[in-house]
Amino acid sequence: MFGKKFATFVALSLATLASAHYTFPDLIVGGTNTGDWVNVRKTNNYNSQAPVTDVTSADFRCYTSQTNAQASTATVTAGSTIGIQADQAIYHPGVINVYMAKAPNNNVASWDGSGTVWFKVYQISAETNGGQSITFPGTGLTTVNFQIPKNLPSGQYLVRMEQIALHAASTYGGAQFYLSCAQINVTGGGSGTPGPLVAIPGVYTGYEPGILINIYYPIPANYTQPGPPVWSG
């Protein structure tokens, strides 16, 4: 009897764990979902939904080492709001970063995003109150909406969505990264100089206080968002 109950418990636990994972397959342009993996490169985990945990891996950039995926490039206007949509609500407590990188030769379809070329355009951090509680406003969202900086130069870009799940982040390598890269062509842009620029992988070591962290005990008195500051243009 115990064996059957234990097996049932394990099965239910695994099912819950699997359902807690997610991907980010959809781009939202003009309020319209453009479809699964149409403007977003299909990630290795499109079926498994497994996260990336190695911040030094080449998959930490766009997670396409197995799919080698390309996507169609959506045209958006500088200053407009676009979104990245998950296949289900973001379940795990954590924070969100959105990075962009301009493709050389205005050809994003054939570019892998290598080099010190990425800049952050949006983030959703944690909220703390001196150690009494910590909350994560990004948890529960299905779509992350953000503005393309109005002064961003026109051209083709990769847009990298990153949710850092922190429920198991108290040991090195425990943070889970759910990510994907979309392809966009920005029109009507300006003459801004995005920065600071970082490389991905390379932007994190995994030892940052916002990545290697116990969010349960003791409750953090404050939270430091990983990565560079947001460039708003």
Side-chain angles (χ1 to χ4, degrees):
M1 180 65 68
F2 175 78
K4 290 182 178 179
K5 287 183 177 179
F6 180 74
T8 301
F9 171 77
V10 170
L12 289 173
S13 296
L14 291 174
T16 300
L17 183 62
S19 68
H21 292 176
Y22 29 87
T23 60
F24 293 97
D26 300 332
L27 185 69
I28 309 298
V29 178
T32 300
N33 186 320
T34 65
D36 289 358
W37 312 117
V38 174
N39 299 125
V40 178
R41 295 178 178 181
K42 182 181 286 188
T43 49
N44 295 352
N45 67 337
Y46 70 96
N47 278 328
S48 71
Q49 298 184 314
V52 178
T53 57
D54 181 359
V55 298
T56 68
S57 165
D59 270 331
F60 191 62
R61 186 180 302 138
C62 290
Y63 205 3
T64 57
S65 64
Q66 296 172 20
T67 60
N68 296 311
Q70 293 182 345
S72 299
T73 303
T75 297
V76 303
T77 305
S80 66
T81 295
I82 66 173
I84 303 289
Q85 184 169 307
D87 60 352
Q88 61 177 308
I90 296 172
Y91 177 85
H92 292 306
V95 298
I96 290 168
N97 291 314
V98 179
Y99 291 89
M100 293 182 64
K102 193 173 192 296
N105 303 315
N106 214 34
N107 185 8
V108 71
S110 62
W111 186 49
D112 65 357
S114 59
T116 306
V117 291
W118 295 88
F119 54 97
K120 189 191 291 186
V121 294
Y122 185 69
Q123 66 182 28
I124 303 176
S125 192
E127 296 179 354
T128 62
N129 62 355
Q132 296 300 307
S133 67
I134 182 169
T135 58
F136 300 93
T139 301
L141 296 179
T142 55
T143 303
V144 176
N145 296 305
F146 55 95
Q147 185 181 42
I148 300 297
K150 189 173 182 178
N151 208 26
L152 184 71
S154 297
Q156 296 191 2
Y157 290 81
L158 284 174
V159 179
R160 179 180 176 275
M161 168 68 192
E162 169 189 277
Q163 196 259 349
I164 310 174
L166 300 172
H167 59 290
S170 58
T171 58
Y172 181 81
Q176 299 178 356
F177 295 81
Y178 297 89
L179 57 93
S180 67
C181 290
Q183 297 175 192
I184 64 172
N185 179 46
V186 177
T187 61
S191 57
T193 304
L197 300 178
V198 297
I200 301 176
V203 61
Y204 312 135
T205 66
Y207 290 99
E208 288 79 7
I211 294 176
L212 181 57
I213 182 174
N214 187 332
I215 62 173
Y216 301 109
Y217 184 83
I219 296 172
N222 51 63
Y223 181 81
T224 303
Q225 185 80 357
V230 169
W231 184 78
S232 64

